[in-house]
């Protein structure tokens, strides 16, 4: 009897081998560092996690809560934030978890959030800038900023700077900025901040913002030398999260089908952020970039340019009003 190559897919061995291969591939997604094996206790410490209502952010916050920290969930949606709050409290057994509203695309929202934190909190030991989105439609915010750059970079940049004095007084403290390996495909053009000269194809704008994340993290680490506050950036891996929610249904379907076997879950994707936030291995380490397996890596050449990092920082200060604020405070 003649066989057709299509008969292979109908054979029971094909289905069995496919399942086995899938399980092997899924097992390889996990890195060598296991948060559950890390016994660092955070009782008496305070942490803020942005974008903590879903995905990576929720699992970062859950881990910190399990370690006994006072955790502030910085979320845009009150409804989704409240659900995350109740889930994290229940799963961690830690009632010292609190919700505060924050929309990183709005400088006004960032300032209001920071003002409340400075009023209510006496210390801050961990800040995880996790909130971000890819594939956002073209738009300009009320501050005149391109919406993806405001959400992914300028909002977190302003937030970090507004909380720096509190973190310095709480040292040792850690700032963790979630970037992406996509920064390798990013470019630096400061007109992008105002929505100029941008091409909105797939994740191109997202890639630019992730490059800026690393540049400003490195400059921040340089400025914080001797303060006891460290700043590092990381790649969480290709993760099955809602970061793709702004893409069309076909792109999301393909992403999810491939992702089931090859991409990290949100819990797995949170590991490198948790590592940078709590691991004793990272104590005193600053201005570095970690990959999704918690290993030190060299970022793209552009991300390692100190002169470009200084320029980037100065532009971001002007755009967020920090430079004029410092001039007024010195008068």
């Amino acid at each position: 009897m003649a066989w057709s190559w299509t008969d292979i897919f109908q054979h029971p061995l094909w289905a069995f081998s496919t399942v086995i291969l899938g399980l092997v591939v899924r097992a390889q997604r996990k890195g060598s560092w296991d948060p559950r094996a890390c016994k660092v206790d955070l009782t008496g410490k305070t942490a803020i996690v942005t974008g903590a209502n879903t995905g990576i952010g929720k699992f970062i916050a859950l881990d910190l809560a399990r370690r006994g920290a006072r955790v502030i969930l910085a979320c845009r949606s009150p409804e989704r934030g409240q659900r995350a709050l109740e889930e994290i409290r229940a799963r961690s057994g830690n009632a010292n978890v609190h919700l505060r509203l924050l929309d990183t695309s709005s400088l006004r929202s960032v300032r209001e959030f920071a003002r409340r934190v400075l009023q209510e909190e006496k210390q801050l030991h961990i800040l995880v800038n996790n909130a971000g989105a890819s594939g956002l439609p073209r738009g300009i915010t009320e501050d005149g900023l391109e919406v993806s750059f405001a959400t992914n970079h300028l909002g977190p940049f302003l937030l970090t700077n507004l909380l720096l004095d509190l973190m310095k007084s709480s040292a040792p403290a850690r700032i963790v900025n979630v970037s992406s390996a996509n920064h390798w495909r990013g470019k630096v053009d400061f007109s992008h901040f105002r929505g100029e000269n941008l091409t909105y194809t797939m994740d191109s704008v997202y890639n630019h913002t992730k490059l800026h994340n690393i540049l400003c993290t490195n400059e921040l680490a340089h400025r914080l030398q001797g303060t006891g506050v460290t700043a590092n950036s990381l790649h969480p891996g290709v993760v099955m999260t809602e970061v793709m929610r702004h893409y069309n249904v076909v792109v999301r379907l393909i992403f999810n089908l491939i992702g089931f076997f090859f991409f990290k879950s949100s819990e797995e994707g949170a590991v490198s952020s948790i590592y940078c936030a709590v691991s004793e291995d990272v104590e005193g380490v600053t201005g570095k970039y970690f990959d999704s397996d918690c290993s030190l890596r060299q970022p793209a050449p552009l991300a390692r340019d100190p002169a470009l990092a200084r320029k980037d920082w100065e532009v971001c200060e002007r755009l967020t009003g920090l430079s004029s604020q410092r001039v007024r405070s010195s008068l």
Side-chain angles (χ1 to χ4, degrees):
M1 186 175 72
W3 279 77
S4 168
W5 69 270
T6 58
D7 292 333
I8 296 174
F9 299 105
Q10 300 173 19
H11 196 283
L13 185 60
W14 170 262
F16 177 75
S17 60
T18 300
V19 170
I20 295 300
L21 176 62
L23 293 174
V24 170
V25 171
R26 284 174 66 87
Q28 295 302 310
R29 300 183 318 194
K30 297 182 179 180
S32 58
W33 189 78
D34 184 356
R36 292 169 296 184
C38 175
K39 303 304 179 184
V40 169
D41 182 79
L42 296 178
T43 302
K45 306 292 186 181
T46 300
I48 293 175
V49 182
T50 69
N53 61 282
T54 188
I56 293 173
K58 185 169 72 173
F59 283 100
I60 297 170
L62 176 60
D63 180 275
L64 302 181
R66 282 173 170 163
R67 297 177 189 276
R70 173 180 171 83
V71 182
I72 298 172
L73 313 180
C75 306
R76 186 177 61 176
S77 167
E79 295 81 12
R80 300 179 73 185
Q82 184 61 34
R83 288 197 295 270
L85 173 71
E86 293 170 0
E87 179 184 344
I88 291 170
R89 282 181 174 177
R91 294 180 64 179
S92 67
N94 183 351
N96 199 9
V97 181
H98 307 274
L99 173 64
R100 300 289 181 266
L101 298 183
L102 170 67
D103 179 356
T104 57
S105 72
S106 166
L107 300 186
R108 175 182 51 80
S109 176
V110 171
R111 290 184 183 278
E112 174 57 28
F113 174 88
R115 183 192 62 78
R116 184 170 179 184
V117 168
L118 295 176
Q119 285 182 343
E120 297 177 348
E121 307 299 328
K122 294 181 173 60
Q123 54 186 2
L124 178 59
H125 304 92
I126 298 171
L127 170 62
V128 183
N129 285 309
N130 161 76
S134 178
L136 287 171
R138 185 191 306 264
I140 301 296
T141 71
E142 62 184 6
D143 304 295
L145 305 172
E146 199 283 329
V147 65
S148 292
F149 278 86
T151 302
N152 296 350
H153 182 63
L154 290 164
F157 174 88
L158 176 61
L159 175 64
T160 301
N161 275 274
L162 294 176
L163 298 179
L164 271 185
D165 285 344
L166 180 60
M167 299 196 76
K168 290 176 184 178
S169 67
S170 308
R174 302 185 188 187
I175 297 166
V176 179
N177 291 330
V178 180
S179 181
S180 171
N182 283 31
H183 80 273
W184 280 84
R185 301 200 299 271
K187 297 179 181 178
V188 175
D189 180 338
F190 295 122
S191 70
H192 288 169
F193 287 126
R194 296 291 190 185
E196 302 168 6
N197 303 312
L198 278 170
T199 302
Y200 287 80
T201 55
M202 287 298 291
D203 54 3
S204 60
V205 178
Y206 175 81
N207 301 342
H208 303 328
T209 67
K210 295 293 103 178
L211 175 57
H212 285 282
N213 287 166
I214 299 176
L215 281 164
C216 282
T217 300
N218 293 346
E219 177 62 15
L220 176 60
H222 175 72
R223 291 169 179 248
L224 287 174
Q225 288 180 0
T227 66
V229 182
T230 60
N232 293 294
S233 56
L234 61 94
H235 169 53
V238 183
V239 185
M240 297 280 288
T241 71
E242 294 184 12
V243 72
M244 299 286 291
R245 62 187 177 275
H246 299 285
Y247 289 91
N248 68 56
V249 66
V250 175
V251 172
R252 283 186 280 121
L253 178 61
I254 295 172
F255 180 86
N256 289 332
L257 286 174
I258 298 173
F260 178 79
F261 293 106
F262 296 100
F263 301 162
K264 291 177 179 285
S265 66
S266 294
E267 185 171 9
E268 292 164 348
V271 170
S272 52
S273 297
I274 297 168
Y275 176 78
C276 289
V278 307
S279 174
E280 294 173 332
D281 297 341
V282 193
E283 186 174 350
V285 176
T286 191
K288 302 300 181 182
Y289 172 76
F290 293 82
D291 69 10
S292 59
D293 293 328
C294 308
S295 301
L296 279 171
R297 289 286 184 267
Q298 285 276 38
L302 269 180
R304 304 197 300 267
D305 184 335
L308 183 60
R310 284 193 298 273
K311 177 64 174 176
D312 199 347
W313 185 276
E314 292 166 359
V315 171
C316 292
E317 278 190 322
R318 290 198 300 271
L319 290 172
T320 57
L322 282 171
S323 55
S324 58
Q325 178 178 320
R326 288 184 176 128
V327 168
R328 290 195 301 270
S329 65
S330 65
L331 295 177

